[in-house]
Amino acid sequence: NECYFNNNACLVSSIIELIPCFISVAIITFLIPVFLSALKNNKSNKSNKTAIMDPSTLPVPEGYVKLISNDGYEFLIRIECAMVSKFLKTSLESGFVESKTRIIPFPEKSGKLLEKVCEYFYYKVQTQSQENNTLEFEMPQEMVVELLMFSHFLDC
């Protein structure tokens, strides 16, 4: 009898020692699918929030044009300033998509270059009304050739 009792005690002791392992396996088996499902839902919610909050999906304000560079920079400029360029004027007055959305991408032009061109548009509008224009438009030396070529393309 004593041996039988000791064997049962050993068996009970072994089972008690294994309970945390069984619980761990059960928790892991249950929680991993739940965790993966929650992670998947969280990712899809983030992508929905991004689509809603993404400024590039918002319409262009009335009276403005959006110019987009190849590196993702977006410039909102007044239509009157964009009209300095005959290319942009034609694009905005045509029946094409650009005239409806007022969004014009420049997939081959950098944001730095496009920014300088936008500055020129504003400079040109400001100085057109002045008879004695003493303000010079400053250009970085490293951009002169590229600006010249782009201004030729834009016809401004």
Side-chain angles (χ1 to χ4, degrees):
N1 274 350
E2 219 172 285
C3 260
Y4 179 75
F5 179 73
N6 283 340
N7 285 340
N8 284 341
C10 288
L11 182 64
V12 170
S13 173
S14 296
I15 291 174
I16 291 175
E17 287 176 10
L18 290 176
I19 287 176
C21 294
F22 289 130
I23 292 174
S24 297
V25 168
I27 289 174
I28 290 173
T29 305
F30 173 74
L31 286 183
I32 286 179
V34 171
F35 176 74
L36 292 176
S37 174
L39 186 62
K40 182 179 177 184
N41 289 339
N42 191 23
K43 283 183 182 177
S44 65
N45 287 344
K46 282 184 182 178
S47 65
N48 290 342
K49 288 179 186 176
T50 302
I52 293 169
M53 302 297 284
D54 186 4
S56 65
T57 62
L58 299 175
V60 178
E62 197 62 39
Y64 285 84
V65 178
K66 184 189 290 187
L67 307 179
I68 305 173
S69 68
N70 65 357
D71 46 2
Y73 288 98
E74 299 178 356
F75 301 91
L76 282 176
I77 61 170
R78 294 192 325 249
I79 287 180
E80 66 186 63
C81 294
M83 296 295 188
V84 167
S85 161
K86 290 177 185 162
F87 170 81
L88 292 178
K89 182 177 182 176
T90 304
S91 296
L92 294 170
E93 292 175 344
S94 70
F96 294 112
V97 174
E98 290 84 2
S99 66
K100 294 176 181 123
T101 61
R102 294 186 321 276
I103 298 173
I104 302 176
F106 290 97
E108 296 179 8
K109 303 301 176 192
S110 70
K112 190 174 181 178
L113 181 69
L114 202 52
E115 179 181 25
K116 201 63 176 171
V117 168
C118 292
E119 287 175 17
Y120 175 75
F121 292 157
Y122 278 90
Y123 164 83
K124 185 73 172 172
V125 168
Q126 284 179 334
T127 58
Q128 276 179 342
S129 61
Q130 300 173 355
E131 288 181 24
N132 294 331
N133 179 15
T134 57
L135 293 174
E136 287 189 27
F137 184 73
E138 294 186 22
M139 294 183 281
Q141 290 295 333
E142 66 272 5
M143 292 178 75
V144 171
V145 173
E146 204 173 5
L147 279 168
L148 183 62
M149 290 173 28
F150 194 34
S151 66
H152 179 70
F153 171 77
L154 292 172
D155 199 4
C156 57

